[in-house]
Amino acid sequence: MKRKFKFWRAGRTILVFLVIVLSLSIFHGIFVTRAAADDVMDARRLADRARLTLETFMQVPETQAFRNLVVNARGVFIAPQIIRGAFVVGGSGGSGVYLVRDMRTNSWSGPAFYTLGGVSFGFQIGGEASEVVFLAMTERGVNALLRSGVKLGADVGVAVGPIGLGADASTANLSVDVLTFSRSKGLYGGISLAGSVVYVRDDWNTAYYGLNVIPSDILISRTVSNRHATGLLDLVARAAGGQVESGTRTPETKAAESRAQEPSSLDERETQVQVEDIDTKK
């Protein structure tokens, strides 16, 4: 009788343990799903705000030099909001998107998602920057920004872009890798990004495209795309006098289907996957 009681207690302990493990697994699954849905929404909002920021930079007279230079730019990085204390502990920073031009076809791809930290607020116009756009003018500048943890001014050359009505197309002859422009409280001026560090947002890239991708997959190989980015790509293409990557090489593929199916050959891995706008309410 005593032995049966011991077996019953042991069985009950195992049962309780299994119930706890199962409960934790369920809660973990719910948490991961919700976190992924939040990442999708955050990435979409950032892309939408980046489009509005670029629209503003393309309209006002003070950014004539920017409009002259973007025609020759190989890449465009847009951070809709850079604020103090926004990056980890102390310092300053924010999130941004990066788009790259294929110089052979004059078409644009992206966006890839990043975090910009440690921004220096040494402005020509004073105050804090709320919107920052910088242009990758050289191939070195484009390639440097494909890596995570690149330090501007050390790993790649960076300079403040010219502002004002007097800055004409001759500024396109500047040989610097990256030119920076900023807007704060309706005023336009230069922002020093020297010493700032650019990190890849792998979580947002994965959520937005439905696959584990790196910036070179999005911007160079162009193995993925998302219909949600069409407006942003249209705008940067018009600004730079190029065209949007059509993405018509393959049928459209849902993000969920993309996750479930792994490529089985090199040819399949090189085929573009186009992701429709993800519905997070489902």
Side-chain angles (χ1 to χ4, degrees), residues 173-222:
N173 294 324
L174 294 173
S175 59
V176 69
D177 297 315
V178 174
L179 289 172
T180 66
F181 301 84
S182 65
R183 174 178 181 266
S184 177
K185 299 178 181 179
L187 299 176
Y188 293 82
I191 176 175
S192 173
L193 291 180
S196 304
V197 183
V198 182
Y199 295 97
V200 177
R201 287 297 304 263
D202 290 317
D203 51 348
W204 285 11
N205 286 325
T206 297
Y208 193 73
Y209 293 103
L211 291 169
N212 291 322
V213 289
I214 59 177
S216 61
D217 296 328
I218 302 166
L219 302 170
I220 306 301
S221 302
R222 303 187 178 195

mmCIF file of all heavy atoms in Angstrom, residues 173-222:
data_model
loop_
_atom_site.group_PDB
_atom_site.id
_atom_site.type_symbol
_atom_site.label_atom_id
_atom_site.label_comp_id
_atom_site.label_asym_id
_atom_site.label_seq_id
_atom_site.Cartn_x
_atom_site.Cartn_y
_atom_site.Cartn_z
ATOM 1 N N ASN A 173 29.349 66.835 -57.587
ATOM 2 C CA ASN A 173 30.721 66.396 -57.789
ATOM 3 C C ASN A 173 31.425 66.020 -56.494
ATOM 4 O O ASN A 173 32.577 65.595 -56.500
ATOM 5 C CB ASN A 173 31.515 67.505 -58.491
ATOM 6 C CG ASN A 173 31.003 67.757 -59.904
ATOM 7 O OD1 ASN A 173 30.605 66.820 -60.588
ATOM 8 N ND2 ASN A 173 31.014 69.021 -60.314
ATOM 9 N N LEU A 174 30.752 66.192 -55.364
ATOM 10 C CA LEU A 174 31.341 65.818 -54.088
ATOM 11 C C LEU A 174 31.657 64.326 -54.089
ATOM 12 O O LEU A 174 30.853 63.504 -54.535
ATOM 13 C CB LEU A 174 30.369 66.154 -52.945
ATOM 14 C CG LEU A 174 30.095 67.644 -52.718
ATOM 15 C CD1 LEU A 174 28.987 67.827 -51.691
ATOM 16 C CD2 LEU A 174 31.353 68.360 -52.250
ATOM 17 N N SER A 175 32.823 63.969 -53.568
ATOM 18 C CA SER A 175 33.262 62.568 -53.623
ATOM 19 C C SER A 175 33.045 61.824 -52.325
ATOM 20 O O SER A 175 33.473 60.686 -52.185
ATOM 21 C CB SER A 175 34.757 62.516 -53.987
ATOM 22 O OG SER A 175 35.518 63.235 -53.019
ATOM 23 N N VAL A 176 32.379 62.423 -51.343
ATOM 24 C CA VAL A 176 32.163 61.780 -50.064
ATOM 25 C C VAL A 176 31.208 60.589 -50.238
ATOM 26 O O VAL A 176 30.368 60.572 -51.145
ATOM 27 C CB VAL A 176 31.595 62.791 -49.041
ATOM 28 C CG1 VAL A 176 30.167 63.186 -49.401
ATOM 29 C CG2 VAL A 176 31.675 62.237 -47.631
ATOM 30 N N ASP A 177 31.350 59.593 -49.365
ATOM 31 C CA ASP A 177 30.527 58.385 -49.464
ATOM 32 C C ASP A 177 29.076 58.643 -49.087
ATOM 33 O O ASP A 177 28.155 58.160 -49.739
ATOM 34 C CB ASP A 177 31.096 57.279 -48.560
ATOM 35 C CG ASP A 177 32.479 56.846 -48.979
ATOM 36 O OD1 ASP A 177 32.698 56.645 -50.186
ATOM 37 O OD2 ASP A 177 33.358 56.716 -48.102
ATOM 38 N N VAL A 178 28.863 59.386 -47.997
ATOM 39 C CA VAL A 178 27.512 59.621 -47.472
ATOM 40 C C VAL A 178 27.324 61.104 -47.188
ATOM 41 O O VAL A 178 28.167 61.735 -46.541
ATOM 42 C CB VAL A 178 27.265 58.809 -46.179
ATOM 43 C CG1 VAL A 178 25.913 59.170 -45.567
ATOM 44 C CG2 VAL A 178 27.336 57.311 -46.462
ATOM 45 N N LEU A 179 26.216 61.676 -47.671
ATOM 46 C CA LEU A 179 25.839 63.057 -47.385
ATOM 47 C C LEU A 179 24.581 63.066 -46.533
ATOM 48 O O LEU A 179 23.643 62.298 -46.793
ATOM 49 C CB LEU A 179 25.571 63.823 -48.684
ATOM 50 C CG LEU A 179 26.793 64.154 -49.552
ATOM 51 C CD1 LEU A 179 26.332 64.729 -50.891
ATOM 52 C CD2 LEU A 179 27.697 65.145 -48.832
ATOM 53 N N THR A 180 24.531 63.921 -45.515
ATOM 54 C CA THR A 180 23.413 63.923 -44.575
ATOM 55 C C THR A 180 22.636 65.240 -44.641
ATOM 56 O O THR A 180 23.211 66.309 -44.820
ATOM 57 C CB THR A 180 23.913 63.716 -43.134
ATOM 58 O OG1 THR A 180 24.708 64.835 -42.733
ATOM 59 C CG2 THR A 180 24.756 62.452 -43.036
ATOM 60 N N PHE A 181 21.311 65.123 -44.488
ATOM 61 C CA PHE A 181 20.414 66.269 -44.467
ATOM 62 C C PHE A 181 19.434 66.084 -43.315
ATOM 63 O O PHE A 181 19.097 64.956 -42.954
ATOM 64 C CB PHE A 181 19.642 66.383 -45.786
ATOM 65 C CG PHE A 181 20.512 66.529 -46.999
ATOM 66 C CD1 PHE A 181 21.056 65.404 -47.612
ATOM 67 C CD2 PHE A 181 20.787 67.771 -47.539
ATOM 68 C CE1 PHE A 181 21.864 65.520 -48.733
ATOM 69 C CE2 PHE A 181 21.589 67.909 -48.652
ATOM 70 C CZ PHE A 181 22.133 66.780 -49.253
ATOM 71 N N SER A 182 18.949 67.210 -42.756
ATOM 72 C CA SER A 182 18.035 67.096 -41.615
ATOM 73 C C SER A 182 17.001 68.201 -41.624
ATOM 74 O O SER A 182 17.179 69.254 -42.255
ATOM 75 C CB SER A 182 18.822 67.146 -40.302
ATOM 76 O OG SER A 182 19.427 68.415 -40.143
ATOM 77 N N ARG A 183 15.915 67.959 -40.905
ATOM 78 C CA ARG A 183 14.834 68.931 -40.747
ATOM 79 C C ARG A 183 14.385 68.905 -39.298
ATOM 80 O O ARG A 183 14.076 67.844 -38.751
ATOM 81 C CB ARG A 183 13.665 68.583 -41.661
ATOM 82 C CG ARG A 183 12.425 69.458 -41.482
ATOM 83 C CD ARG A 183 11.356 69.033 -42.474
ATOM 84 N NE ARG A 183 10.155 69.851 -42.363
ATOM 85 C CZ ARG A 183 9.094 69.532 -41.630
ATOM 86 N NH1 ARG A 183 9.090 68.409 -40.938
ATOM 87 N NH2 ARG A 183 8.037 70.316 -41.581
ATOM 88 N N SER A 184 14.356 70.070 -38.664
ATOM 89 C CA SER A 184 13.939 70.164 -37.281
ATOM 90 C C SER A 184 13.012 71.354 -37.102
ATOM 91 O O SER A 184 13.404 72.489 -37.384
ATOM 92 C CB SER A 184 15.153 70.323 -36.363
ATOM 93 O OG SER A 184 14.756 70.479 -35.014
ATOM 94 N N LYS A 185 11.778 71.068 -36.681
ATOM 95 C CA LYS A 185 10.796 72.126 -36.421
ATOM 96 C C LYS A 185 10.634 73.052 -37.622
ATOM 97 O O LYS A 185 10.570 74.278 -37.487
ATOM 98 C CB LYS A 185 11.205 72.926 -35.173
ATOM 99 C CG LYS A 185 11.267 72.083 -33.907
ATOM 100 C CD LYS A 185 11.721 72.898 -32.721
ATOM 101 C CE LYS A 185 11.810 72.022 -31.470
ATOM 102 N NZ LYS A 185 12.284 72.786 -30.284
ATOM 103 N N GLY A 186 10.573 72.449 -38.802
ATOM 104 C CA GLY A 186 10.355 73.222 -40.011
ATOM 105 C C GLY A 186 11.585 73.860 -40.599
ATOM 106 O O GLY A 186 11.516 74.458 -41.670
ATOM 107 N N LEU A 187 12.732 73.738 -39.928
ATOM 108 C CA LEU A 187 13.979 74.301 -40.431
ATOM 109 C C LEU A 187 14.865 73.184 -40.979
ATOM 110 O O LEU A 187 14.897 72.077 -40.446
ATOM 111 C CB LEU A 187 14.713 75.050 -39.321
ATOM 112 C CG LEU A 187 13.975 76.245 -38.703
ATOM 113 C CD1 LEU A 187 14.785 76.819 -37.555
ATOM 114 C CD2 LEU A 187 13.702 77.309 -39.762
ATOM 115 N N TYR A 188 15.604 73.517 -42.043
ATOM 116 C CA TYR A 188 16.464 72.533 -42.684
ATOM 117 C C TYR A 188 17.920 72.898 -42.453
ATOM 118 O O TYR A 188 18.294 74.067 -42.468
ATOM 119 C CB TYR A 188 16.172 72.464 -44.184
ATOM 120 C CG TYR A 188 14.799 71.924 -44.479
ATOM 121 C CD1 TYR A 188 13.691 72.753 -44.424
ATOM 122 C CD2 TYR A 188 14.611 70.586 -44.772
ATOM 123 C CE1 TYR A 188 12.418 72.266 -44.669
ATOM 124 C CE2 TYR A 188 13.346 70.086 -45.025
ATOM 125 C CZ TYR A 188 12.254 70.933 -44.964
ATOM 126 O OH TYR A 188 11.004 70.431 -45.194
ATOM 127 N N GLY A 189 18.753 71.883 -42.247
ATOM 128 C CA GLY A 189 20.162 72.150 -42.027
ATOM 129 C C GLY A 189 20.963 70.875 -42.009
ATOM 130 O O GLY A 189 20.475 69.813 -42.390
ATOM 131 N N GLY A 190 22.196 70.954 -41.549
ATOM 132 C CA GLY A 190 23.082 69.800 -41.528
ATOM 133 C C GLY A 190 23.114 69.156 -40.166
ATOM 134 O O GLY A 190 22.932 69.801 -39.141
ATOM 135 N N ILE A 191 23.322 67.874 -40.155
ATOM 136 C CA ILE A 191 23.485 67.135 -38.908
ATOM 137 C C ILE A 191 24.750 66.297 -39.029
ATOM 138 O O ILE A 191 24.971 65.643 -40.049
ATOM 139 C CB ILE A 191 22.266 66.234 -38.620
ATOM 140 C CG1 ILE A 191 22.507 65.389 -37.361
ATOM 141 C CG2 ILE A 191 21.915 65.362 -39.799
ATOM 142 C CD1 ILE A 191 21.311 64.561 -36.951
ATOM 143 N N SER A 192 25.572 66.324 -38.002
ATOM 144 C CA SER A 192 26.790 65.535 -38.022
ATOM 145 C C SER A 192 26.486 64.109 -37.582
ATOM 146 O O SER A 192 26.065 63.870 -36.462
ATOM 147 C CB SER A 192 27.834 66.146 -37.074
ATOM 148 O OG SER A 192 28.961 65.295 -36.976
ATOM 149 N N LEU A 193 26.686 63.158 -38.500
ATOM 150 C CA LEU A 193 26.481 61.748 -38.174
ATOM 151 C C LEU A 193 27.798 61.029 -37.898
ATOM 152 O O LEU A 193 27.807 59.824 -37.687
ATOM 153 C CB LEU A 193 25.755 61.039 -39.314
ATOM 154 C CG LEU A 193 24.296 61.446 -39.532
ATOM 155 C CD1 LEU A 193 23.702 60.681 -40.693
ATOM 156 C CD2 LEU A 193 23.473 61.224 -38.281
ATOM 157 N N ALA A 194 28.902 61.770 -37.907
ATOM 158 C CA ALA A 194 30.196 61.156 -37.627
ATOM 159 C C ALA A 194 30.187 60.543 -36.233
ATOM 160 O O ALA A 194 29.812 61.181 -35.252
ATOM 161 C CB ALA A 194 31.302 62.195 -37.736
ATOM 162 N N GLY A 195 30.578 59.298 -36.160
ATOM 163 C CA GLY A 195 30.586 58.584 -34.897
ATOM 164 C C GLY A 195 29.321 57.805 -34.626
ATOM 165 O O GLY A 195 29.278 56.984 -33.695
ATOM 166 N N SER A 196 28.280 58.032 -35.402
ATOM 167 C CA SER A 196 27.038 57.282 -35.236
ATOM 168 C C SER A 196 27.216 55.858 -35.756
ATOM 169 O O SER A 196 28.009 55.601 -36.663
ATOM 170 C CB SER A 196 25.895 57.967 -35.988
ATOM 171 O OG SER A 196 25.752 59.302 -35.562
ATOM 172 N N VAL A 197 26.459 54.942 -35.194
ATOM 173 C CA VAL A 197 26.549 53.538 -35.579
ATOM 174 C C VAL A 197 25.204 53.075 -36.121
ATOM 175 O O VAL A 197 24.156 53.353 -35.524
ATOM 176 C CB VAL A 197 26.962 52.652 -34.381
ATOM 177 C CG1 VAL A 197 27.114 51.202 -34.824
ATOM 178 C CG2 VAL A 197 28.260 53.164 -33.769
ATOM 179 N N VAL A 198 25.235 52.385 -37.245
ATOM 180 C CA VAL A 198 24.027 51.903 -37.899
ATOM 181 C C VAL A 198 23.934 50.386 -37.713
ATOM 182 O O VAL A 198 24.846 49.651 -38.096
ATOM 183 C CB VAL A 198 24.030 52.251 -39.402
ATOM 184 C CG1 VAL A 198 22.734 51.793 -40.054
ATOM 185 C CG2 VAL A 198 24.217 53.752 -39.600
ATOM 186 N N TYR A 199 22.826 49.941 -37.120
ATOM 187 C CA TYR A 199 22.599 48.518 -36.877
ATOM 188 C C TYR A 199 21.402 48.029 -37.688
ATOM 189 O O TYR A 199 20.415 48.750 -37.864
ATOM 190 C CB TYR A 199 22.320 48.254 -35.400
ATOM 191 C CG TYR A 199 23.477 48.555 -34.482
ATOM 192 C CD1 TYR A 199 23.562 49.773 -33.807
ATOM 193 C CD2 TYR A 199 24.487 47.625 -34.272
ATOM 194 C CE1 TYR A 199 24.618 50.063 -32.964
ATOM 195 C CE2 TYR A 199 25.549 47.909 -33.427
ATOM 196 C CZ TYR A 199 25.613 49.121 -32.775
ATOM 197 O OH TYR A 199 26.662 49.403 -31.947
ATOM 198 N N VAL A 200 21.475 46.799 -38.159
ATOM 199 C CA VAL A 200 20.379 46.188 -38.901
ATOM 200 C C VAL A 200 19.292 45.739 -37.931
ATOM 201 O O VAL A 200 19.589 45.170 -36.878
ATOM 202 C CB VAL A 200 20.880 44.980 -39.722
ATOM 203 C CG1 VAL A 200 19.716 44.292 -40.435
ATOM 204 C CG2 VAL A 200 21.937 45.417 -40.728
ATOM 205 N N ARG A 201 18.020 45.999 -38.274
ATOM 206 C CA ARG A 201 16.894 45.503 -37.492
ATOM 207 C C ARG A 201 16.455 44.175 -38.088
ATOM 208 O O ARG A 201 15.520 44.096 -38.882
ATOM 209 C CB ARG A 201 15.739 46.504 -37.516
ATOM 210 C CG ARG A 201 15.940 47.759 -36.688
ATOM 211 C CD ARG A 201 16.085 47.465 -35.204
ATOM 212 N NE ARG A 201 14.981 46.730 -34.646
ATOM 213 C CZ ARG A 201 13.950 47.283 -33.997
ATOM 214 N NH1 ARG A 201 13.899 48.596 -33.858
ATOM 215 N NH2 ARG A 201 13.005 46.540 -33.482
ATOM 216 N N ASP A 202 17.105 43.096 -37.708
ATOM 217 C CA ASP A 202 16.783 41.776 -38.249
ATOM 218 C C ASP A 202 15.343 41.380 -37.952
ATOM 219 O O ASP A 202 14.683 40.733 -38.775
ATOM 220 C CB ASP A 202 17.737 40.725 -37.679
ATOM 221 C CG ASP A 202 19.152 40.870 -38.217
ATOM 222 O OD1 ASP A 202 19.297 41.098 -39.434
ATOM 223 O OD2 ASP A 202 20.104 40.762 -37.434
ATOM 224 N N ASP A 203 14.843 41.737 -36.756
ATOM 225 C CA ASP A 203 13.489 41.350 -36.383
ATOM 226 C C ASP A 203 12.452 42.008 -37.288
ATOM 227 O O ASP A 203 11.501 41.341 -37.740
ATOM 228 C CB ASP A 203 13.219 41.693 -34.914
ATOM 229 C CG ASP A 203 13.581 43.139 -34.566
ATOM 230 O OD1 ASP A 203 14.255 43.804 -35.387
ATOM 231 O OD2 ASP A 203 13.208 43.596 -33.464
ATOM 232 N N TRP A 204 12.638 43.278 -37.607
ATOM 233 C CA TRP A 204 11.686 43.954 -38.484
ATOM 234 C C TRP A 204 11.811 43.483 -39.927
ATOM 235 O O TRP A 204 10.804 43.357 -40.625
ATOM 236 C CB TRP A 204 11.880 45.466 -38.404
ATOM 237 C CG TRP A 204 11.348 46.054 -37.133
ATOM 238 C CD1 TRP A 204 10.932 45.363 -36.022
ATOM 239 C CD2 TRP A 204 11.174 47.431 -36.839
ATOM 240 N NE1 TRP A 204 10.521 46.237 -35.055
ATOM 241 C CE2 TRP A 204 10.664 47.521 -35.517
ATOM 242 C CE3 TRP A 204 11.424 48.604 -37.533
ATOM 243 C CZ2 TRP A 204 10.373 48.742 -34.905
ATOM 244 C CZ3 TRP A 204 11.139 49.819 -36.926
ATOM 245 C CH2 TRP A 204 10.614 49.885 -35.635
ATOM 246 N N ASN A 205 13.020 43.237 -40.385
ATOM 247 C CA ASN A 205 13.197 42.714 -41.742
ATOM 248 C C ASN A 205 12.506 41.357 -41.893
ATOM 249 O O ASN A 205 11.839 41.099 -42.896
ATOM 250 C CB ASN A 205 14.689 42.586 -42.068
ATOM 251 C CG ASN A 205 15.343 43.935 -42.315
ATOM 252 O OD1 ASN A 205 14.740 44.846 -42.863
ATOM 253 N ND2 ASN A 205 16.597 44.074 -41.893
ATOM 254 N N THR A 206 12.676 40.502 -40.893
ATOM 255 C CA THR A 206 12.047 39.182 -40.930
ATOM 256 C C THR A 206 10.531 39.306 -40.899
ATOM 257 O O THR A 206 9.825 38.636 -41.661
ATOM 258 C CB THR A 206 12.525 38.339 -39.737
ATOM 259 O OG1 THR A 206 13.939 38.120 -39.849
ATOM 260 C CG2 THR A 206 11.815 36.993 -39.699
ATOM 261 N N ALA A 207 10.014 40.170 -40.035
ATOM 262 C CA ALA A 207 8.569 40.332 -39.919
ATOM 263 C C ALA A 207 7.970 40.920 -41.191
ATOM 264 O O ALA A 207 6.914 40.477 -41.664
ATOM 265 C CB ALA A 207 8.246 41.218 -38.720
ATOM 266 N N TYR A 208 8.637 41.910 -41.768
ATOM 267 C CA TYR A 208 8.097 42.621 -42.925
ATOM 268 C C TYR A 208 8.054 41.744 -44.171
ATOM 269 O O TYR A 208 7.116 41.837 -44.967
ATOM 270 C CB TYR A 208 8.945 43.861 -43.178
ATOM 271 C CG TYR A 208 8.346 44.856 -44.148
ATOM 272 C CD1 TYR A 208 7.275 45.653 -43.792
ATOM 273 C CD2 TYR A 208 8.888 45.023 -45.426
ATOM 274 C CE1 TYR A 208 6.735 46.581 -44.671
ATOM 275 C CE2 TYR A 208 8.359 45.950 -46.313
ATOM 276 C CZ TYR A 208 7.283 46.725 -45.926
ATOM 277 O OH TYR A 208 6.756 47.638 -46.811
ATOM 278 N N TYR A 209 9.073 40.905 -44.329
ATOM 279 C CA TYR A 209 9.157 40.074 -45.532
ATOM 280 C C TYR A 209 8.755 38.623 -45.305
ATOM 281 O O TYR A 209 8.667 37.854 -46.268
ATOM 282 C CB TYR A 209 10.568 40.144 -46.117
ATOM 283 C CG TYR A 209 10.890 41.514 -46.662
ATOM 284 C CD1 TYR A 209 11.708 42.396 -45.949
ATOM 285 C CD2 TYR A 209 10.353 41.948 -47.864
ATOM 286 C CE1 TYR A 209 11.997 43.665 -46.438
ATOM 287 C CE2 TYR A 209 10.625 43.218 -48.359
ATOM 288 C CZ TYR A 209 11.444 44.065 -47.640
ATOM 289 O OH TYR A 209 11.716 45.324 -48.118
ATOM 290 N N GLY A 210 8.544 38.228 -44.044
ATOM 291 C CA GLY A 210 8.094 36.868 -43.781
ATOM 292 C C GLY A 210 9.165 35.816 -43.933
ATOM 293 O O GLY A 210 8.863 34.629 -43.970
ATOM 294 N N LEU A 211 10.415 36.232 -44.031
ATOM 295 C CA LEU A 211 11.539 35.311 -44.172
ATOM 296 C C LEU A 211 12.727 35.850 -43.385
ATOM 297 O O LEU A 211 12.819 37.062 -43.154
ATOM 298 C CB LEU A 211 11.949 35.156 -45.645
ATOM 299 C CG LEU A 211 10.996 34.423 -46.584
ATOM 300 C CD1 LEU A 211 11.462 34.610 -48.026
ATOM 301 C CD2 LEU A 211 10.941 32.941 -46.241
ATOM 302 N N ASN A 212 13.622 34.975 -42.994
ATOM 303 C CA ASN A 212 14.874 35.412 -42.370
ATOM 304 C C ASN A 212 15.796 35.921 -43.470
ATOM 305 O O ASN A 212 16.406 35.137 -44.196
ATOM 306 C CB ASN A 212 15.531 34.259 -41.610
ATOM 307 C CG ASN A 212 14.744 33.859 -40.387
ATOM 308 O OD1 ASN A 212 14.187 34.714 -39.696
ATOM 309 N ND2 ASN A 212 14.671 32.568 -40.106
ATOM 310 N N VAL A 213 15.878 37.242 -43.603
ATOM 311 C CA VAL A 213 16.667 37.848 -44.671
ATOM 312 C C VAL A 213 17.634 38.863 -44.093
ATOM 313 O O VAL A 213 17.437 39.393 -43.002
ATOM 314 C CB VAL A 213 15.760 38.533 -45.710
ATOM 315 C CG1 VAL A 213 14.998 37.516 -46.533
ATOM 316 C CG2 VAL A 213 14.792 39.507 -45.042
ATOM 317 N N ILE A 214 18.684 39.118 -44.834
ATOM 318 C CA ILE A 214 19.656 40.145 -44.483
ATOM 319 C C ILE A 214 19.536 41.269 -45.518
ATOM 320 O O ILE A 214 18.926 41.076 -46.580
ATOM 321 C CB ILE A 214 21.089 39.570 -44.444
ATOM 322 C CG1 ILE A 214 21.473 38.968 -45.804
ATOM 323 C CG2 ILE A 214 21.224 38.529 -43.341
ATOM 324 C CD1 ILE A 214 22.907 38.447 -45.859
ATOM 325 N N PRO A 215 20.096 42.458 -45.240
ATOM 326 C CA PRO A 215 19.943 43.570 -46.180
ATOM 327 C C PRO A 215 20.350 43.269 -47.621
ATOM 328 O O PRO A 215 19.708 43.755 -48.554
ATOM 329 C CB PRO A 215 20.831 44.655 -45.554
ATOM 330 C CG PRO A 215 20.731 44.397 -44.092
ATOM 331 C CD PRO A 215 20.717 42.900 -43.968
ATOM 332 N N SER A 216 21.401 42.489 -47.812
ATOM 333 C CA SER A 216 21.818 42.196 -49.183
ATOM 334 C C SER A 216 20.775 41.368 -49.934
ATOM 335 O O SER A 216 20.642 41.487 -51.156
ATOM 336 C CB SER A 216 23.173 41.477 -49.193
ATOM 337 O OG SER A 216 23.090 40.247 -48.499
ATOM 338 N N ASP A 217 20.008 40.525 -49.214
ATOM 339 C CA ASP A 217 18.914 39.787 -49.849
ATOM 340 C C ASP A 217 17.842 40.739 -50.349
ATOM 341 O O ASP A 217 17.260 40.553 -51.420
ATOM 342 C CB ASP A 217 18.277 38.800 -48.865
ATOM 343 C CG ASP A 217 19.229 37.701 -48.420
ATOM 344 O OD1 ASP A 217 20.086 37.307 -49.231
ATOM 345 O OD2 ASP A 217 19.117 37.239 -47.267
ATOM 346 N N ILE A 218 17.566 41.776 -49.552
ATOM 347 C CA ILE A 218 16.508 42.726 -49.877
ATOM 348 C C ILE A 218 16.950 43.719 -50.936
ATOM 349 O O ILE A 218 16.205 44.007 -51.885
ATOM 350 C CB ILE A 218 16.085 43.490 -48.601
ATOM 351 C CG1 ILE A 218 15.621 42.517 -47.509
ATOM 352 C CG2 ILE A 218 15.003 44.514 -48.919
ATOM 353 C CD1 ILE A 218 15.513 43.152 -46.132
ATOM 354 N N LEU A 219 18.165 44.219 -50.819
ATOM 355 C CA LEU A 219 18.598 45.374 -51.605
ATOM 356 C C LEU A 219 19.468 45.029 -52.807
ATOM 357 O O LEU A 219 19.483 45.778 -53.790
ATOM 358 C CB LEU A 219 19.366 46.338 -50.693
ATOM 359 C CG LEU A 219 18.592 46.848 -49.469
ATOM 360 C CD1 LEU A 219 19.523 47.595 -48.521
ATOM 361 C CD2 LEU A 219 17.430 47.736 -49.896
ATOM 362 N N ILE A 220 20.209 43.943 -52.737
ATOM 363 C CA ILE A 220 21.136 43.588 -53.824
ATOM 364 C C ILE A 220 20.616 42.380 -54.612
ATOM 365 O O ILE A 220 20.368 42.476 -55.816
ATOM 366 C CB ILE A 220 22.543 43.296 -53.271
ATOM 367 C CG1 ILE A 220 23.047 44.473 -52.423
ATOM 368 C CG2 ILE A 220 23.495 43.006 -54.428
ATOM 369 C CD1 ILE A 220 23.119 45.793 -53.152
ATOM 370 N N SER A 221 20.430 41.245 -53.949
ATOM 371 C CA SER A 221 19.912 40.058 -54.630
ATOM 372 C C SER A 221 18.443 40.224 -54.994
ATOM 373 O O SER A 221 17.959 39.618 -55.956
ATOM 374 C CB SER A 221 20.091 38.817 -53.743
ATOM 375 O OG SER A 221 21.453 38.628 -53.415
ATOM 376 N N ARG A 222 17.702 40.993 -54.189
ATOM 377 C CA ARG A 222 16.274 41.249 -54.413
ATOM 378 C C ARG A 222 15.469 39.962 -54.436
ATOM 379 O O ARG A 222 14.617 39.744 -55.303
ATOM 380 C CB ARG A 222 16.064 42.041 -55.701
ATOM 381 C CG ARG A 222 16.823 43.360 -55.727
ATOM 382 C CD ARG A 222 16.457 44.198 -56.930
ATOM 383 N NE ARG A 222 17.155 45.475 -56.920
ATOM 384 C CZ ARG A 222 16.825 46.497 -57.684
ATOM 385 N NH1 ARG A 222 15.816 46.407 -58.524
ATOM 386 N NH2 ARG A 222 17.504 47.626 -57.615
#
